[in-house]
Amino acid sequence: MSGYFKDIYEGIATALIGMKITWKHLFVRNVTIQYPDEKHDIPERVRNRLYVNMDDCIGCDQCAKACPVNCITIETAKSLPEENLGETSTGHKKKLWVTRFDIDIAKCCYCELCVPPCPTDCIFMTPTYEFSEYNRNDLIYRFATLEPGEAAEKTANAERIKMETAAKRAAELEEKKRAAAEKAAAEKAHDAGDPTAPSPIEHVAQRTDTRERTPKPSNTGGETSEPSSSGDKSAPSASSSGQPSSSGSDPFDMKTAPHDGSASVRSDAGADRDASSRPAAW
Amino acid sequence: MTENLDVLRQGIASGRLKTDELVLNMGPQHPSTHGVLRLELVLDGEIVVKIIPSMGYLHRCFEKHAEAMTYPQVVPYTDRMDYLAAMNNNHGYALAVERLLGIEVPERVEYIRVIMAELQRIASHLVAIGTFGMDVGAFTPFLYCFRDREYILDIFERTCGARLLYNYIWVGGLSHDVHDGFERDVADFIRKFRPTVTEVNNLLNYNKIFIERTAHVGVLPADVAVSYGCSGPMLRGSGVDWDLRRDDPYSIYDRFDWNVIVGDGAAGTLGDCWDRHMVRVGEMEESCRIIEQALESFPAAGDIAEAIPKRIRPPKGEIYTRVENPRGELGYYLISDGSANPFRLKVRGPSFVNLSVIDEISRGHLIADLVAILGSIDIVLGEVDR
Amino acid sequence: MESLLQSFFGDNILTLLLYCSLPLVFLLLYALLAILGEVKVSAWMQDRLGPMRTGPYGIIQPIADVLKLLQKEDITPANADKFLFNLAPYLSFMSAYAALAVIPFSSQYVGADLNLGLFYLLAISSLNVAAIMMAGWASNNKYSLYGSMRAVAQIVSYEVPAAMVLVIVVMFIGSLNLQDIIIAQSGPFWNWIVFGGPKQDVMLASGHTLDASWTNLIFFPLFLGTFVMYYISGLAETNRTPFDIPEAESELVSGYHTEYSGMKFAMFFMSEYANMFIVSAVTAILFFGGWNSPFGVYLGDAFDAPWLVAVEQFGWLVLKGLFFVFMMIWIRWTLPRLRVDQLMYMCWKVLIPFSFGVALLVGFLVVIL
Ligand code: SF4
Ligand code: SF4
């Protein structure tokens, strides 16, 4: 019986305590704000929309390879010997025309993995967070500064050079290739049989804060943790090497498709190809 | 309609009126299944006879994705499992890879990781406590909890730029050093946060109606909890004194003085919803203590990127690493074939395992209790389905 | 009031219609205010701002809500019992509206001055049960069915203590007429029933004299308890938190009105808010002097303007009613929800024994005093 009255007493008493708390909160200042009119201060390091400063981009493809969702697509064309592309503000010599630099921001997960590897610090995240669009294709940001015609021309030039070189050196190339293949096969066999291969861990000697836009001293600073298959500096000898090796599509297709139409056609083609070539992406 | 009436009339006339069980489909769009969980309930009136949970509505192939990613690229994916405890997820994964690689991380990194993980634990528990209150019908405490969680997210945002999915704890280090004034911000937060616990206690946890709703409900005896593999507050609520931070120490938890909160059945039976809930409330205070101690001995300087490997290709081998996620034991079973991508990454998710016990402890309870039980398990569907 | 309208429009059906629709106008305006109150009070209690974008400080938000509901598609589920499904919301609103007929808004205005006012009130508000049952059954949805079963069990149970509490007051005053009950409490606030009732003799409208004296103060604790019991039963009858188990959002999605949309949903919504006001107004009438000014004097008397007195009386009643509506909102945003069995426990094992006990005591005291 006393338990019965105790329950009733507790029920009323605790309800009143609760009501006292909510009553006090009636007069507490609101913690929410009127969003579009007032906005929170954006911290300095905030991760929102990506931006690429194309003046500094050397087309090295590091950012595209670091991206876990493959939302960066870069195409490059080798410049002709007589063309001077100048230098980046960090002192890197530009050797490639960046004919295509698309970021599908709708796919981006804002992980910022693409920022640290960039040797010239030209890709970075901005504080802009309001960039919704009605059309999904408008979320594919095209940073390449070349006009479609120009890009086609540069690609063609590079192609021509490549053809010429290829024809000239066909014979010796053939020779070299065979030699290289033999050597590689031998090495592979050797690797497989040797469990005490050198430790794969190398520590980054120097890592500048990604927020400071200071020049990086060496061109190897950007290379963290790459799959060994194609990510070497020496790779851009062929014009198609800018492609992420994982995309798996025909390099010719990648090169020619974007240049034969208006911007909207390009965006459609880009979206389709992205979808088809990367089934694993969400 | 008329057939039903006929059946009814016949049943009454013949004196053989039978009652039957009813199958109710709860979810995937239901206010209190905490996401897209679907429960098929077999009900006798309002009493739960059987529960068949159906999962997978949020399945995103995390484990398969991980096989196609390089080691650093997996980190953002771990964020997205238990999205309320992304830091803890990062931490577990980073530890797994580091152990496989044999890396020691600098002191400062360890401190920052512990502080971040504990802040995240508080944030996650705040959501659990608030939504549990909402499940039993109290809306206001939920918003008080969210208000304080915002302060934590602000700190995270200032440090690493993201509010929910941080990609902060990297293999071998951190993505950013802490921001200027981090220590002050955290200390400020703890000062602001402590009164909220008292307030939520008075408003919700010690409220008679709340106690009546949660005490003696969904009792999970210790042996059942162990045999189902429950972990975290779910296990501790049943009185089992087990916390990986103490019992399988990782990082630098062994340096701090803190208690493992265990349910004591103060309001009802040991292992009921109220116990589980109060374990979370108590753990928030313990996390505060850990953070305070960590701030006291926080190394003033140090390079957080010092141990980040340039190239991550762990030697052939496998490892199982577990950490104490806010929801329980989060384990990563990692197999490396020596390449740049994990060969296999299996995750032992605490929510998934904890959820499996729901049928066992909800039978014979009312629908209203089932909602309370589900809330007290504190599942995150992102991690149940992965 | 009726005579006033008659002098304008003559003695015809239009006059009657106008007369009847006054509470409707009031109800609609009140509902707008109550919706705004609900969102704003809950927001402030939770350190939020609430709606701020429609009008200054969001004050025309309820109108926007109504417009939104009007525009919504009116969905009737394919397998619903269409006739009952469509009837239920209107029946629910009708019962709330009909209850307003006997609420005396001032000494000058009461829709129907029934001698059995309280009785009518009890009877007509039970009609809501039928509407809820209809809605739940006709929706052909398990959640709705559960909601309506719970609602019926709850409302029917809580009518017992509510009626018992009314009996206590009726026993004390000796009249079922609501005007009489209010007149008995005229004068300053200490004559209110919650403070023990009138302290000097009063002449009721029915001609019967209520003998009273300061010894009535001994009723104060009893009537305070009665008031609390009535208010709790009222909360339960209107399905408000902590007794909102029929709509229990986290369990039954939305209970009996899960399947309703658009204007039909709005009807349920309106009837809930109307019922809130009715319970609040009845609380004010039974325990807090109804339209009586707490000071016992009116500004209108000073200026010798009877119409001003009527307006003041209306104002006092509405003010008291709104205060109790505010209390309901306050309680809703503070407490968790009870479970079905606990709800029944509270009704049958707490409220009913207590109300019977108090009824016995009051009856005894009324006889000997
Ligand atoms: S932020 Fe992450 S997802 Fe977005 S482009 Fe960079 S690497 Fe890709
Ligand atoms: S890493 Fe930097 S320089 Fe290289 S392609 Fe990307 S943006 Fe250009």
Side-chain angles (χ1 to χ4, degrees):
Chain A
M1 198 64 192
S2 70
Y4 173 80
F5 285 109
K6 192 165 154 261
D7 280 355
I8 295 175
Y9 167 74
E10 277 179 1
I12 295 173
T14 54
L16 290 179
I17 290 173
M19 285 172 76
K20 200 172 119 197
I21 292 173
T22 40
W23 175 260
K24 273 197 213 135
H25 274 273
L26 267 182
F27 309 102
V28 170
R29 244 185 89 76
N30 56 296
V31 292
T32 54
I33 55 167
Q34 287 288 293
Y35 157 61
D37 306 333
E38 307 165 45
K39 286 175 184 174
H40 274 302
D41 297 338
I42 304 276
E44 191 193 343
R45 293 178 179 178
V46 80
R47 287 161 26 190
N48 289 313
R49 175 149 77 177
L50 275 168
Y51 183 75
V52 183
N53 178 5
M54 286 309 286
D55 291 346
D56 277 2
C57 178
I58 56 170
C60 68
D61 206 33
Q62 294 298 327
C63 49
K65 267 181 248 149
C67 178
V69 294
N70 293 354
C71 63
I72 306 179
T73 313
I74 300 172
E75 278 168 18
T76 49
K78 211 178 169 195
S79 59
L80 298 178
E82 64 269 23
E83 284 173 328
N84 183 11
L85 276 66
E87 284 192 346
T88 67
S89 61
T90 52
H92 289 76
K93 183 131 178 55
K94 289 209 224 172
K95 294 194 189 109
L96 300 169
W97 292 107
V98 181
T99 54
R100 179 173 175 208
F101 196 121
D102 293 353
I103 297 183
D104 186 349
I105 207 81
K107 269 199 217 165
C108 175
C109 65
Y110 308 97
C111 62
E112 212 179 19
L113 281 177
C114 52
V115 174
C118 178
T120 62
D121 282 332
C122 66
I123 181 166
F124 51 90
M125 293 194 129
T126 60
T128 317
Y129 55 89
E130 296 153 311
F131 48 91
S132 47
E133 298 280 357
Y134 284 103
N135 184 351
R136 193 180 293 181
N137 286 329
D138 294 344
L139 284 170
I140 302 175
Y141 293 157
R142 296 166 195 291
F143 289 100
T145 43
L146 295 178
E147 297 293 320
E150 262 184 293
E153 183 197 320
K154 305 295 179 201
T155 318
N157 279 349
E159 202 59 28
R160 183 164 47 80
I161 291 285
K162 191 185 149 201
M163 291 297 201
E164 279 167 13
T165 327
K168 216 187 285 172
R169 298 204 217 144
E172 49 180 314
L173 213 69
E174 195 88 315
E175 195 70 14
K176 261 187 188 168
K177 252 187 196 168
R178 200 183 304 126
E182 271 165 20
K183 202 180 161 202
E187 247 170 32
K188 214 175 192 177
H190 177 69
D191 271 359
D194 183 10
T196 56
S199 164
I201 310 158
E202 283 176 57
H203 291 263
V204 177
Q206 217 166 7
R207 184 175 172 281
T208 50
D209 190 325
T210 56
R211 285 291 148 191
E212 297 162 14
R213 306 258 163 257
T214 50
K216 282 186 182 170
S218 92
N219 62 352
T220 55
E223 281 194 22
T224 60
S225 65
E226 285 306 318
S228 64
S229 51
S230 71
D232 295 327
K233 277 280 162 187
S234 58
S237 57
S239 63
S240 66
S241 69
Q243 286 311 311
S245 60
S246 60
S247 74
S249 56
D250 182 4
F252 281 98
D253 184 31
M254 292 293 273
K255 263 185 311 194
T256 50
H259 310 302
D260 54 12
S262 66
S264 68
V265 170
R266 281 175 55 191
S267 71
D268 288 342
D272 286 346
R273 190 169 43 254
D274 284 350
S276 61
S277 64
R278 290 172 205 128
W282 40 356
Chain B
M1 198 72 57
T2 47
E3 299 131 37
N4 288 350
L5 278 179
D6 285 341
V7 171
L8 200 65
R9 276 198 211 100
Q10 277 166 18
I12 293 167
S14 62
R16 286 184 293 112
L17 181 63
K18 278 201 295 189
T19 54
D20 209 348
E21 283 164 352
L22 181 79
V23 178
L24 185 69
N25 194 17
M26 194 166 168
Q29 288 98 13
H30 186 280
S32 59
T33 50
H34 293 235
V36 286
L37 174 67
R38 174 169 157 241
L39 298 173
E40 263 172 65
L41 310 181
V42 181
L43 299 169
D44 174 12
E46 279 214 27
I47 296 176
V48 177
V49 178
K50 191 168 157 48
I51 300 177
I52 307 156
S54 313
M55 282 155 292
Y57 290 89
L58 205 60
H59 184 53
R60 291 151 302 168
C61 314
F62 164 74
E63 289 170 11
K64 195 69 196 163
H65 263 306
E67 289 167 22
M69 297 289 144
T70 60
Y71 284 92
Q73 285 179 337
V74 176
V75 179
Y77 282 87
T78 63
D79 282 338
R80 284 155 177 82
M81 289 195 303
D82 184 347
Y83 42 76
L84 292 178
M87 286 286 183
N88 305 69
N89 296 358
N90 289 175
H91 196 183
Y93 174 73
L95 279 177
V97 183
E98 280 159 16
R99 284 188 192 164
L100 209 52
L101 288 168
I103 300 182
E104 282 288 320
V105 298
E107 184 96 341
R108 184 173 163 89
V109 172
E110 293 281 27
Y111 271 93
I112 297 174
R113 283 181 176 184
V114 164
I115 294 174
M116 288 301 185
E118 292 310 309
L119 281 176
Q120 180 80 85
R121 189 181 313 277
I122 295 175
S124 169
H125 281 344
L126 279 173
V127 178
I129 289 164
T131 50
F132 186 49
M134 210 155 72
D135 285 338
V136 296
F139 195 83
T140 304
F142 169 73
L143 283 156
Y144 294 167
C145 289
F146 262 60
R147 177 195 61 201
D148 280 26
R149 177 171 174 262
E150 283 302 296
Y151 300 139
I152 301 179
L153 300 192
D154 284 345
I155 294 175
F156 287 163
E157 191 182 21
R158 255 168 266 150
T159 286
C160 72
R163 294 181 72 84
L164 191 68
L165 307 163
Y166 313 104
N167 182 21
Y168 180 65
I169 300 180
W170 282 1
V171 176
L174 305 164
S175 75
H176 301 81
D177 201 347
V178 293
H179 61 275
D180 293 337
F182 170 77
E183 285 118 303
R184 197 193 54 233
D185 283 353
V186 175
D188 266 2
F189 162 73
I190 290 181
R191 216 186 43 245
K192 273 194 282 191
F193 170 66
R194 284 214 166 102
T196 307
V197 181
T198 324
E199 201 172 74
V200 172
N201 271 338
N202 287 332
L203 181 58
L204 181 73
N205 301 342
Y206 296 135
N207 184 289
K208 186 73 185 163
I209 300 178
F210 181 78
I211 293 178
E212 287 293 321
R213 279 299 304 277
T214 53
H216 302 294
V217 169
V219 178
L220 174 68
D223 54 333
V224 178
V226 172
S227 60
Y228 269 88
C230 295
S231 50
M234 193 75 182
L235 183 69
R236 291 193 282 275
S238 298
V240 183
D241 193 359
W242 176 256
D243 190 317
L244 292 176
R245 287 174 290 172
R246 186 198 59 197
D247 299 312
D248 182 11
Y250 57 95
S251 204
I252 49 167
Y253 279 108
D254 46 0
R255 297 188 198 172
F256 305 118
D257 168 35
W258 56 283
N259 298 323
V260 176
I261 304 289
V262 182
D264 53 3
T269 324
L270 182 63
D272 57 14
C273 290
W274 197 76
D275 275 349
R276 291 195 275 278
H277 181 75
M278 289 315 280
V279 164
R280 293 198 180 96
V281 175
E283 275 182 14
M284 294 201 298
E285 170 58 28
E286 294 305 318
S287 292
C288 286
R289 286 180 57 198
I290 296 178
I291 296 169
E292 276 173 339
Q293 291 169 45
L295 283 182
E296 269 165 31
S297 47
F298 193 59
D303 181 8
I304 54 108
E306 186 176 284
I308 296 180
K310 189 176 159 199
R311 219 167 255 211
I312 304 180
R313 314 189 78 192
K316 273 205 179 83
E318 56 186 58
I319 194 164
Y320 178 74
T321 309
R322 53 188 185 172
V323 292
E324 187 73 28
N325 182 277
R327 280 161 197 82
E329 174 179 334
L330 174 74
Y332 288 93
Y333 179 52
L334 182 63
I335 305 181
S336 163
D337 59 356
S339 73
N341 306 351
F343 179 75
R344 175 86 171 93
L345 179 59
K346 161 87 183 98
V347 176
R348 184 240 188 248
S351 298
F352 176 75
V353 180
N354 289 349
L355 181 63
S356 65
V357 83
I358 188 161
D359 180 41
E360 177 89 17
I361 61 176
S362 309
R363 282 189 198 174
H365 283 301
L366 297 168
I367 299 181
D369 292 333
L370 169 67
V371 169
I373 293 168
L374 195 60
S376 76
I377 296 179
D378 183 25
I379 49 170
V380 169
L381 261 294
E383 188 239 83
V384 172
D385 292 343
R386 290 198 280 282
Chain C
M1 196 71 198
E2 200 173 357
S3 51
L4 190 73
L5 285 171
Q6 267 165 357
S7 66
F8 278 129
F9 300 105
D11 194 4
N12 55 26
I13 188 90
L14 181 73
T15 316
L16 275 176
L17 274 180
L18 266 180
Y19 190 62
C20 301
S21 56
L22 283 178
L24 185 64
V25 175
F26 167 75
L27 203 58
L28 293 175
L29 290 177
Y30 148 77
L32 294 182
L33 189 69
I35 295 170
L36 184 70
E38 181 101 51
V39 291
K40 278 295 185 186
V41 169
S42 64
W44 291 332
M45 282 179 175
Q46 296 161 351
D47 303 350
R48 295 185 286 125
L49 282 165
M52 288 290 277
R53 304 208 72 81
T54 32
Y57 293 94
I59 52 170
I60 57 171
Q61 180 67 34
I63 297 175
D65 284 348
V66 170
L67 289 178
K68 180 200 75 176
L69 283 172
L70 274 171
Q71 289 171 42
K72 283 223 166 169
E73 189 188 351
D74 185 18
I75 302 165
T76 308
N79 287 330
D81 183 330
K82 299 208 173 43
F83 177 69
L84 291 183
F85 185 83
N86 290 324
L87 182 65
Y90 302 103
L91 193 66
S92 173
F93 182 70
M94 195 200 82
S95 79
Y97 181 43
L100 276 183
V102 288
I103 302 285
F105 282 97
S106 78
S107 56
Q108 308 297 315
Y109 181 87
V110 51
D113 195 5
L114 296 183
N115 277 336
L116 287 173
L118 265 181
F119 202 63
Y120 168 84
L121 203 69
L122 270 180
I124 203 83
S125 50
S126 312
L127 204 59
N128 201 17
V129 179
I132 289 175
M133 191 67 219
M134 258 186 212
W137 177 259
S139 298
N140 201 5
N141 173 324
K142 288 169 188 168
Y143 286 110
S144 303
L145 189 62
Y146 272 120
S148 63
M149 303 279 258
R150 284 177 175 195
V152 172
Q154 171 179 338
I155 296 174
V156 169
S157 302
Y158 273 86
E159 259 167 18
V160 181
M164 209 56 218
V165 166
L166 298 185
V167 164
I168 295 170
V169 176
V170 169
M171 212 155 55
F172 180 72
I173 303 285
S175 171
L176 278 164
N177 185 322
L178 288 165
Q179 281 291 30
D180 268 0
I181 293 174
I182 296 171
I183 289 168
Q185 307 174 63
S186 44
F189 65 89
W190 57 77
N191 286 336
W192 292 354
I193 287 180
V194 73
F195 297 117
K199 306 296 184 294
Q200 62 279 316
D201 297 355
V202 255
M203 175 81 136
L204 300 182
S206 48
H208 149 83
T209 311
L210 182 64
D211 303 323
S213 67
W214 278 91
T215 49
N216 275 348
L217 260 184
I218 57 164
F219 286 110
F220 171 54
L222 292 176
F223 284 142
L224 191 65
T226 319
F227 152 66
V228 173
M229 283 191 284
Y230 180 74
Y231 198 64
I232 292 174
S233 331
L235 273 178
E237 279 195 78
T238 46
N239 302 336
R240 294 282 298 183
T241 312
F243 307 104
D244 64 339
I245 59 156
E247 8 198 302
E249 192 241 347
S250 60
E251 299 154 27
L252 297 183
V253 189
S254 201
Y256 58 87
H257 53 65
T258 306
E259 294 285 355
Y260 284 89
S261 61
M263 234 16 232
K264 280 189 239 147
F265 169 75
M267 280 289 160
F268 274 121
F269 206 64
M270 279 282 288
S271 89
E272 179 182 327
Y273 276 92
N275 277 327
M276 273 165 73
F277 182 77
I278 288 162
V279 167
S280 304
V282 171
T283 312
I285 288 166
L286 291 184
F287 299 101
F288 290 86
W291 40 253
N292 279 311
S293 148
F295 314 110
V297 288
Y298 298 99
L299 229 59
D301 282 339
F303 297 116
D304 202 19
W307 63 268
L308 189 59
V309 175
V311 169
E312 272 179 74
Q313 288 173 337
F314 174 76
W316 281 119
L317 181 83
V318 171
L319 212 64
K320 288 170 188 173
L322 288 183
F323 172 74
F324 289 111
V325 171
F326 166 76
M327 288 278 288
M328 286 185 176
I329 295 172
W330 183 10
I331 290 172
R332 169 164 179 189
W333 296 105
T334 303
L335 295 181
R337 178 187 311 123
L338 286 165
R339 204 171 53 207
V340 192
D341 54 328
Q342 288 155 358
L343 185 97
M344 290 297 159
Y345 176 95
M346 187 156 169
C347 175
W348 293 101
K349 290 197 168 170
V350 180
L351 290 180
I352 290 181
F354 269 85
S355 59
F356 272 74
V358 173
L360 264 176
L361 254 175
V362 170
F364 182 68
L365 284 174
V366 165
V367 171
I368 62 162
L369 283 179

